[in-house]
Amino acid sequence: MYIKLVSSDGHEFIVKREHALTLGTRKAMLRGPEIPSCVLSKACTYFTYKFCYTNSSTVIPEFPIAPETALELLMTVTFLDP
Amino acid sequence: MFTQLLHFWTPALLGFPPLLEPLLLAELKPGRPHQFDWKSSCETWSVAFSPDGSWFAWSQGHCIVKLIPWPLEEQFIPKGFEAKSRSSKNDTKGRGSPKEKTLDCGQIVWGLAFSPWPSPPSRKLWARHHPQVPDISCLILATGLNDGQIKIWEVQTGLLLLNLSGHQDVVRDLSFTPSGSLILVSASRDKTLRIWDLNKHGKQIQVLSGHLQWVYCCSISPDCSMLCSAAGEKSVFLWSMRSYTLIRKLEGHQSSVVSCDFSPDSALLVTASYDTNVIMWDPYTGERLRFLHHTQLDPPMDDSDVHISSLRSVCFSPEGLYLATVADDRLLRIWALELKTPIAFAPMTNGLCCTFFPHGGVIATGTRDGHVQFWTAPRVLSSLKHLCRKALRSFLTTYQVLALPIPKKMKEFLTYRTF
């Protein structure tokens, strides 16, 4: 149960369907903008992070985002999930 | 020596729907050999966690500061059980088992602050280029005392390192620069703030004058660019940490301002006052973004029952989405930034101070009778949008955000005008 997300520079990210399937990613798969791999990889990492810690009782670690990625990532997320 | 009590108790929510109410995890009480006496200064004016979360400090009144290693669990293991529970492992902690320390400061302790430690890489590089200066590469606790002195202690050993003199009255609050440069700021009832350089044996490098009444609180922004001070004459001052000059005065409170805190990305400042309000500000523009009004939950039975909700303390949660406040109406409140009313309450008598554990999950509070309580804090998984905002605002000022070529709505989100 995996889906494949492809970035604008040709990197393929294979993620579990249940982690990634929000309205936003469905939109992206149909008719999305070109998303660079550095942004898409961070988004995929976040999906896993969210899935892991949402229903657990362990301490939630920090999720670091590099400053140079943050703006593009925010714009992508805002587009996918306004 | 002190007695410990472990309570598990869900506080009544006074008719509000139960949402994430803070649960009392533990309460620590100092064991006092002599009779409890209101007049003999037994208040816990300050509580603090070290930035790496390994220590908790607590001014428990009667001139004593207690330093406790964190987490607390080990303390509750009674003697005799240790061998059984740890039979398979010898003391595996790298630094042995750090024990609690008792610091006798000789007079009432009003302010506490831990230095950032371990030192960030930038500081280690600095120390290598300044070999003539003693490299204080240890965790430090600064204590602000009744007569204006500041005592600097080494946490691991409990040894007194330095005595800083200069203030003429109570040192009410202290703050180290988060960068690890060992610059310390102190706030005093003598109406000044002072800047001390602990790399130079505690040399006083600047006096900040301008306040007209007692300075209650000081806080340095996490990006180390700004210093906030709050005082009795209802004003809040913002100073530059680069030039040590006044940037602006923030007007809006109607009474003494007693507590202040920056958000983790330095984009927001909250101040708390005896006027029952917490104000949230944009520190770069001076705009007031929110008023958090602390009202009575139950209507008073008669005039004699009116409890004034003067604020005592306000602090941000580590991920920057919640606030905790302590008020004289005997409530600890948790606020979500985007809402106008609290999301949770817990009854708390005689509360004076509060602080979040740096990795989240716990709030520590101190009371007038020298006790400390630990409460559960909301467990937060930040949205990706908020994480991006926090990453960007950690280095962008409000004006820099407004200059970005992005849609208006995104600017409003990034500057916390919308959530």
Side-chain angles (χ1 to χ4, degrees), chain B residues 47 64 108 117 133 143 147 171 207 219 260 293 314 317 342 355 360:
Chain B
V47 286
I64 301 288
I108 301 170
W117 186 80
V133 173
T143 52
D147 70 354
V171 176
V207 178
S219 186
C260 57
H293 190 53
V314 64
S317 59
T355 188

Side-chain angles (χ1 to χ4, degrees), chain B residues 45 258-259 272 274 310-314 326-328 351-353 368:
Chain B
W45 289 110
V258 299
S259 182
Y274 287 160
S310 295
L311 268 296
R312 291 283 165 181
S313 188
V314 64
V326 171
D328 276 355
L352 289 177
C353 51
R368 222 170 254 287

Side-chain angles (χ1 to χ4, degrees), chain A residues 68-81:
Chain A
E68 56 269 19
T69 318
L71 188 57
E72 212 164 351
L73 182 57
L74 177 61
M75 294 179 81
T76 305
V77 172
T78 308
F79 173 82
L80 295 177
D81 202 4

Side-chain angles (χ1 to χ4, degrees), chain A residues 43 46 49-50 53-54 56-60 62-63 65-67 70-71 73-75 77-78 81-82, chain B residues 358-360 379-392 395 404-407 410 413-414:
Chain A
Y46 180 79
Y49 167 85
K50 182 173 176 180
Y53 293 105
T54 297
S56 84
S57 55
T58 50
V59 173
I60 301 175
E62 279 197 43
F63 186 84
I65 298 178
L71 188 57
L73 182 57
L74 177 61
M75 294 179 81
V77 172
T78 308
D81 202 4
Chain B
H359 307 309
R379 198 170 165 273
V380 192
L381 203 149
S382 306
S383 68
L384 189 50
K385 275 171 98 170
H386 177 65
L387 289 167
C388 291
R389 171 168 61 185
K390 203 166 99 157
L392 284 165
F395 71 98
L404 292 171
I406 55 177
M410 199 174 295
F413 175 76
L414 280 174

Side-chain angles (χ1 to χ4, degrees), chain B residues 172 216-217 230-231 255-260 271-274 311-313:
Chain B
R172 184 63 185 86
Y216 283 89
C217 179
S255 186
S256 301
V257 191
V258 299
S259 182
C260 57
T271 54
S273 164
Y274 287 160
L311 268 296
R312 291 283 165 181
S313 188

Side-chain angles (χ1 to χ4, degrees), chain A residues 7-78:
Chain A
S7 69
S8 54
D9 43 341
H11 285 262
E12 297 179 348
F13 297 88
I14 298 168
V15 297
K16 275 194 174 170
R17 198 165 173 274
E18 60 198 339
H19 292 193
L21 223 54
T22 61
L23 177 65
T25 43
R26 274 197 213 108
K27 232 168 127 179
M29 291 189 306
L30 287 172
R31 185 180 41 89
E34 296 298 305
I35 305 173
S37 58
C38 57
V39 171
L40 195 52
S41 71
K42 203 66 186 175
C44 291
T45 312
Y46 180 79
F47 297 149
T48 314
Y49 167 85
K50 182 173 176 180
F51 185 82
C52 269
Y53 293 105
T54 297
N55 286 317
S56 84
S57 55
T58 50
V59 173
I60 301 175
E62 279 197 43
F63 186 84
I65 298 178
E68 56 269 19
T69 318
L71 188 57
E72 212 164 351
L73 182 57
L74 177 61
M75 294 179 81
T76 305
V77 172
T78 308

Side-chain angles (χ1 to χ4, degrees), chain B residues 110-151:
Chain B
W110 291 86
L112 288 177
F114 279 99
S115 61
W117 186 80
S119 317
S122 53
R123 171 163 172 81
K124 290 187 176 131
L125 195 66
W126 179 92
R128 228 182 288 151
H129 289 113
H130 294 80
Q132 73 283 6
V133 173
D135 182 24
I136 311 184
S137 53
C138 57
L139 181 61
I140 290 168
L141 181 74
T143 52
L145 307 182
N146 205 60
D147 70 354
Q149 275 187 85
I150 298 166
K151 289 195 162 142

Side-chain angles (χ1 to χ4, degrees), chain B residues 135-311:
Chain B
D135 182 24
I136 311 184
S137 53
C138 57
L139 181 61
I140 290 168
L141 181 74
T143 52
L145 307 182
N146 205 60
D147 70 354
Q149 275 187 85
I150 298 166
K151 289 195 162 142
I152 306 292
W153 307 82
E154 182 180 357
V155 171
Q156 297 283 358
T157 57
L159 289 177
L160 180 63
L161 296 176
L162 290 169
N163 232 313
L164 310 181
S165 301
H167 278 299
Q168 308 295 310
D169 203 340
V170 166
V171 176
R172 184 63 185 86
D173 200 10
L174 295 156
S175 196
F176 275 96
T177 50
S179 61
S181 61
L182 289 180
I183 301 293
L184 174 67
V185 177
S186 56
S188 168
R189 283 187 183 175
D190 70 4
K191 307 172 199 168
T192 68
L193 294 119
R194 289 174 201 238
I195 317 284
W196 312 85
D197 190 344
L198 296 195
N199 301 299
K200 298 176 183 165
H201 303 281
K203 184 181 168 197
Q204 181 184 287
I205 57 179
Q206 190 82 16
V207 178
L208 305 181
S209 303
H211 279 300
L212 303 173
Q213 292 186 32
W214 294 353
V215 189
Y216 283 89
C217 179
C218 61
S219 186
I220 302 177
S221 61
D223 66 357
C224 304
S225 66
M226 296 178 280
L227 166 67
C228 174
S229 60
E233 74 267 19
K234 311 173 198 173
S235 51
V236 177
F237 286 7
L238 277 174
W239 311 80
S240 161
M241 278 300 285
R242 291 177 189 124
S243 59
Y244 301 131
T245 53
L246 186 67
I247 300 174
R248 67 172 48 84
K249 297 184 185 183
L250 303 176
E251 310 283 359
H253 280 297
Q254 307 298 314
S255 186
S256 301
V257 191
V258 299
S259 182
C260 57
D261 198 21
F262 280 95
S263 62
D265 56 6
S266 308
L268 297 172
L269 172 69
V270 285
T271 54
S273 164
Y274 287 160
D275 70 3
T276 77
N277 281 317
V278 162
I279 300 181
M280 188 187 305
W281 313 80
D282 180 325
Y284 296 101
T285 63
E287 282 169 74
R288 294 190 289 267
L289 302 180
R290 280 243 187 297
F291 278 87
L292 303 181
H293 190 53
H294 291 61
T295 48
Q296 298 301 303
L297 290 180
D298 287 331
M301 300 291 281
D302 54 51
D303 282 346
S304 64
D305 223 20
V306 172
H307 304 298
I308 300 169
S309 314
S310 295
L311 268 296

